[in-house]
Amino acid sequence: MIVPYSHVLFLAGILFALGVVCAVARRNLIMMLIGVEIMLNAAALAFVAAALRWQQLEGQVFVLFIFAIAAAEVSVGLALIVYAYRRTGSLDPETYNILKW
Amino acid sequence: MTLYGIIFYILAAVIVIATGLAITRRNLVHAVIYLIISFFGSAMLYFLFGAPLLAALEIIIYAGAIMVLFLFIIMMLRVDPTALRRPSLRHWLPAGILGIIYLAVAALVVITDPGSQATLKTAMARPRALGQFLFQRYWLSVEIISFLLLIALIGALYLARAFLKESREQSEGEL
């Protein structure tokens, strides 16, 4: 007997909201990527708790896939960030306005 | 409240506080370190929920590989400490209100759903059982995800090469 399932969902929801705030409110590309990581981690937490709640292994399998997605996303995202930084010399997304008139 | 429940609430408090500190730090290195603390807490929660393999992978992949990658990039680039965006009330009020409405509705859904009141019972999925289940039932998904990782690898290599070629042409043009 650990805790009610809803408490785990609340924890995952709070973490997800923190990730959204980090992705939206920070003026820095790296912090936006970190916010996405926090959101993925919150989703994985909900999946693990669901696997325990229904005693099904599918939830844990999906967490493995979430890990792989996070790794792929972060490698491509950081490569893009480095590329953008070398072209513009800044990590502020508001300076990427070359296409603007 | 059982001992497991107390452990869960302590870990939950640590995770939320560490994540909250991480997203408000001005110094990116501090943010990443706080995030590693948060991911360690998540790994312990996985262990509590009976997923020891996932707990190990969380530490190896998230707290190890991904966060070290972030640290490398932060130390490679010259990053100025940046503040939070200036909160102009006119822009943030509608977004904040909509977000709070969503959060309230989600909390109501979770509270009123009778299925979510069930108490979690301790159980453990052995790594061997999880591996056999994964490769018997979801082997195609494993192949697809490995292709995705390969594509990500090629994409990252291509981005680095594209820049190298560009800068070489530029330097040759200057000569």
Side-chain angles (χ1 to χ4, degrees):
Chain A
M1 304 294 262
I2 305 175
V3 283
Y5 178 50
S6 56
H7 291 196
V8 187
L9 282 184
F10 279 130
L11 174 63
I14 291 170
L15 276 180
F16 195 90
L18 284 176
V20 171
V21 168
C22 183
V24 170
R26 290 299 295 256
R27 204 188 274 264
N28 190 317
L29 275 183
I30 292 180
M31 284 312 285
M32 292 168 76
L33 211 56
I34 284 178
V36 176
E37 290 301 311
I38 296 172
M39 285 190 263
L40 282 171
N41 194 46
L45 188 60
F47 265 111
V48 173
L52 185 62
R53 159 78 174 78
W54 280 282
Q55 304 278 326
Q56 300 272 333
L57 273 178
E58 268 91 353
Q60 299 197 6
V61 170
F62 266 87
V63 173
L64 273 179
F65 295 153
I66 290 177
F67 285 169
I69 298 278
E73 171 249 331
V74 108
S75 60
V76 175
L78 283 176
L80 277 173
I81 287 177
V82 171
Y83 189 80
Y85 178 81
R86 283 179 168 162
R87 290 198 71 125
T88 64
S90 164
L91 284 176
D92 189 346
E94 285 174 15
T95 58
Y96 302 149
N97 51 8
I98 309 171
L99 286 180
K100 247 191 208 166
W101 280 87
Chain B
M1 194 190 296
T2 59
L3 181 61
Y4 290 128
I6 296 169
I7 292 174
F8 171 81
Y9 291 120
I10 291 173
L11 283 179
V14 169
I15 291 172
V16 169
I17 290 170
T19 310
L21 283 172
I23 68 171
T24 51
R25 291 302 95 179
R26 282 165 164 249
N27 191 330
L28 287 182
V29 177
H30 295 179
V32 168
I33 301 292
Y34 275 118
L35 212 57
I36 289 177
I37 294 175
S38 156
F39 286 151
F40 268 115
S42 300
M44 282 185 264
L45 269 190
Y46 291 172
F47 202 83
L48 186 67
F49 291 155
L53 180 68
L54 293 180
L57 283 181
E58 166 96 5
I59 288 181
I60 293 170
I61 297 180
Y62 259 103
I66 292 180
M67 286 300 129
V68 169
L69 206 58
F70 272 113
L71 271 186
F72 272 141
I73 298 298
I74 290 167
M75 290 172 179
M76 210 169 86
L77 309 179
R78 191 181 51 78
V79 184
D80 307 322
T82 48
L84 289 164
R85 266 181 219 275
R86 295 269 161 273
S88 80
L89 203 61
R90 203 165 54 84
H91 287 151
W92 285 92
L93 200 60
I97 288 175
L98 286 180
I100 288 171
I101 289 175
Y102 263 135
L103 279 182
V105 171
L108 269 182
V109 168
V110 170
I111 288 171
T112 54
D113 179 22
S116 71
Q117 299 305 321
T119 310
L120 297 174
K121 292 183 179 59
T122 49
M124 193 177 79
R126 295 185 177 283
R128 184 194 186 101
L130 180 63
Q132 278 182 348
F133 182 79
L134 176 65
F135 280 97
Q136 277 172 0
R137 296 275 298 277
Y138 291 100
W139 57 271
L140 187 62
S141 311
V142 173
E143 297 298 326
I144 293 171
I145 215 82
S146 62
F147 257 114
L148 183 72
L149 282 172
L150 182 66
I151 292 167
L153 176 68
I154 295 172
L157 275 177
Y158 176 76
L159 282 173
R161 270 185 66 88
F163 179 77
L164 275 183
K165 207 186 270 176
E166 224 167 67
S167 59
R168 201 176 297 144
E169 276 165 8
Q170 267 181 6
S171 59
E172 277 170 5
E174 281 165 11
L175 289 172

